[in-house]
Amino acid sequence: MKFETKAIHGLKDTEKGNCEWNNTINMASAYKTKSFGEPQDFEYGRVSNPTRSELEKLMAILENGKHGYAFSSGMAAITSVFTRFKAGDHIILGTDIYGGTYRITTDIFGKFNLKYTFVDATNLDEIKNAVRPETVAIFIETPSNPLLDITDIRGVVKIAKEHGLLTIADNTFLTPYLQRPLELGIDIVVHSATKFLSGHHDIIAGIVVVNDDKLAEDVWFAQKAIGAILPPFDSWLLMRSLKTLKIRVDTAQNNTLKLLEFFRNHPAVKKVYSPIEDDNKGKEIHKTQASGIGAVFSFILKDEKKVKTFFENIKIATLAPSLGGPETLVTHPSTVTHAEMPEEEKNARGITNSMVRIAVGLENIDDLIEDFKNALEK
Ligand SMILES: *Cc1c(COP(=O)(O)O)cnc(C)c1O
């Protein structure tokens, strides 16, 4: 089956709820013991739940992995994965990773003596040079946020294999519809399912998918031990949303391609950032590891003093963080998503005050262009 068919029919061969296309929502927190002393699939809701377990199977199918796990947020998923590390372990991460991942690494796991190095992950030599005897893992995110830089997934896997390191990829921006890191050799895929996977700006959720059985057991152990699980209703809602993932991403991506064209050619715009810009040095690599660009891009306004005017004059697009929903959202990376990054670091990377990030939604493209045209003219 092709991707969109799997999203709709993929669970057919696994046990279903009471209806062919609409799983039951099983809200029980505990299950009757059928036979004393015998293990059973469902005993206690934190450990496993029938609705969550259906979603987990579906996510494994879509990422082309063997085992899926659903968490109460993307950060809960990432945190649960990180708990496999121990004091003294060293992890290499891209500088451009999600702010929350940066925060748990430095401010939480740092306290437990986990060591880390942030490198420009677009440069494989920097990753290679950061490997130490105590290095255990490499964490990447591609395309990155808000610069849409590309990390060579196969290159990272090769370095990791040479040094016996675990690889973790945050696949939130592209979803398994456009990029499947496990197929390229990555060990652990993590998601903020809050974004495209749920797709409606209405739930907070996280996903982990792995292939290896031993690794799966560890993730499952962390999930049940820590308990940051996705509730049954949200699991059901996420499964419902996954059925339309392809058409949502297709539409948002088509809108993005047209908006990129518009922004590139607008006199008030200095520069556009996307995986397909000619000056994106990962452009060719991206084409070999993903089948699309997703629906997030950034641009630099020529006149920094007009950023506020721009935000004040958008009418259809909304000033808000997040991405991947029907509504087009616009945000200011330097004061919102990257507020905690040191000023010099931001400036060095080009995340200046005149940068705007757009997470494109599903509105009619003519309405969006009209909206942005008006705001840019102002
Ligand atoms: C939003 C996001 C996260 C965090 O997910 P939450 O669901 O907000 O906890 C992690 N990684 C990326 C790339 C994100 O966009």
Side-chain angles (χ1 to χ4, degrees), residues 73-75 78 98 141 170 172-173 192 194-195 204-205 323:
S73 70
M75 286 325 302
I78 295 168
Y98 181 71
E141 197 178 310
D170 184 331
T172 301
F173 267 42
S192 169
T194 310
K195 316 292 167 55
I204 299 284
L323 54 114

Side-chain angles (χ1 to χ4, degrees), residues 4-126:
E4 58 271 40
T5 316
K6 283 200 275 190
I8 297 165
H9 294 286
L11 284 174
K12 261 196 178 142
D13 294 334
T14 68
E15 70 259 40
K16 293 286 290 184
N18 62 347
C19 169
E20 188 57 40
W21 45 79
N22 190 349
N23 294 355
T24 33
I25 306 175
N26 190 312
M27 299 293 287
S29 59
Y31 299 86
K32 182 181 170 184
T33 304
K34 293 188 181 106
S35 176
F36 180 76
E38 294 294 318
Q40 58 189 50
D41 284 348
F42 303 105
E43 293 172 338
Y44 186 64
R46 167 159 43 76
V47 180
S48 55
N49 166 280
T51 316
R52 193 174 87 226
S53 141
E54 288 290 290
L55 165 69
E56 291 171 334
K57 279 179 209 153
L58 184 57
M59 274 311 304
I61 290 168
L62 296 182
E63 279 288 1
N64 211 0
K66 267 172 81 183
H67 309 273
Y69 300 91
F71 294 84
S72 54
S73 70
M75 286 325 302
I78 295 168
T79 300
S80 299
V81 167
F82 266 58
T83 60
R84 66 178 291 105
F85 303 126
K86 60 181 192 313
D89 282 353
H90 175 250
I91 299 162
I92 299 167
L93 305 98
T95 344
D96 238 8
I97 52 161
Y98 181 71
T101 309
Y102 178 85
R103 192 156 50 215
I104 55 158
T105 312
T106 54
D107 297 354
I108 297 185
F109 290 106
K111 287 193 295 194
F112 296 92
N113 208 22
L114 207 64
K115 306 292 181 197
Y116 45 86
T117 304
F118 292 98
V119 299
D120 173 4
T122 64
N123 184 346
L124 291 178
D125 285 335
E126 279 206 25

Side-chain angles (χ1 to χ4, degrees), residues 41-307:
D41 284 348
F42 303 105
E43 293 172 338
Y44 186 64
R46 167 159 43 76
V47 180
S48 55
N49 166 280
T51 316
R52 193 174 87 226
S53 141
E54 288 290 290
L55 165 69
E56 291 171 334
K57 279 179 209 153
L58 184 57
M59 274 311 304
I61 290 168
L62 296 182
E63 279 288 1
N64 211 0
K66 267 172 81 183
H67 309 273
Y69 300 91
F71 294 84
S72 54
S73 70
M75 286 325 302
I78 295 168
T79 300
S80 299
V81 167
F82 266 58
T83 60
R84 66 178 291 105
F85 303 126
K86 60 181 192 313
D89 282 353
H90 175 250
I91 299 162
I92 299 167
L93 305 98
T95 344
D96 238 8
I97 52 161
Y98 181 71
T101 309
Y102 178 85
R103 192 156 50 215
I104 55 158
T105 312
T106 54
D107 297 354
I108 297 185
F109 290 106
K111 287 193 295 194
F112 296 92
N113 208 22
L114 207 64
K115 306 292 181 197
Y116 45 86
T117 304
F118 292 98
V119 299
D120 173 4
T122 64
N123 184 346
L124 291 178
D125 285 335
E126 279 206 25
I127 298 181
K128 223 178 287 176
N129 293 337
V131 177
R132 309 182 198 161
E134 60 277 22
T135 305
V136 292
I138 307 174
F139 186 108
I140 59 164
E141 197 178 310
T142 182
S144 73
N145 171 30
L147 297 168
L148 289 307
D149 277 339
I150 303 304
T151 298
D152 178 350
I153 300 178
R154 290 184 186 88
V156 167
V157 167
K158 186 161 172 280
I159 296 170
K161 290 248 159 75
E162 279 162 16
H163 295 90
L165 312 177
L166 193 72
T167 46
I168 307 165
D170 184 331
N171 203 28
T172 301
F173 267 42
L174 290 188
T175 84
Y177 171 46
L178 299 177
Q179 177 170 275
R180 287 178 297 280
L182 294 178
E183 290 177 0
L184 305 174
I186 290 285
D187 299 307
I188 303 182
V189 165
V190 296
H191 276 283
S192 169
T194 310
K195 316 292 167 55
F196 290 100
L197 297 181
S198 75
H200 294 75
H201 294 310
D202 55 10
I203 64 167
I204 299 284
I207 295 288
V208 175
V209 183
V210 301
N211 263 324
D212 183 75
D213 295 342
K214 175 66 183 71
L215 210 45
E217 223 167 275
D218 293 350
V219 176
W220 179 72
F221 179 80
Q223 186 193 38
K224 76 166 179 176
I226 295 164
I229 47 152
L230 194 65
F233 182 73
D234 295 29
S235 298
W236 177 84
L237 208 45
L238 190 43
M239 268 189 282
R240 179 187 194 268
S241 293
L242 286 171
K243 296 183 194 205
T244 56
L245 178 62
K246 181 204 182 275
I247 55 165
R248 288 187 285 105
V249 173
D250 279 347
T251 300
Q253 183 171 252
N254 284 337
N255 280 351
T256 304
L257 291 167
K258 290 184 182 134
L259 282 174
L260 281 171
E261 192 64 34
F262 167 77
F263 276 89
R264 265 182 219 127
N265 294 313
H266 198 284
V269 174
K270 187 166 157 195
K271 180 173 164 47
V272 171
Y273 292 88
S274 91
I276 48 167
E277 298 314 295
D278 285 334
D279 61 354
N280 187 326
K281 61 181 175 167
K283 183 179 175 181
E284 293 307 317
I285 291 164
H286 184 73
K287 285 187 204 157
T288 70
Q289 61 189 25
S291 56
I293 61 161
V296 180
F297 71 96
S298 303
F299 72 92
I300 305 275
L301 260 186
K302 265 188 195 145
D303 187 351
E304 185 184 325
K305 294 188 293 295
K306 293 288 167 60
V307 171

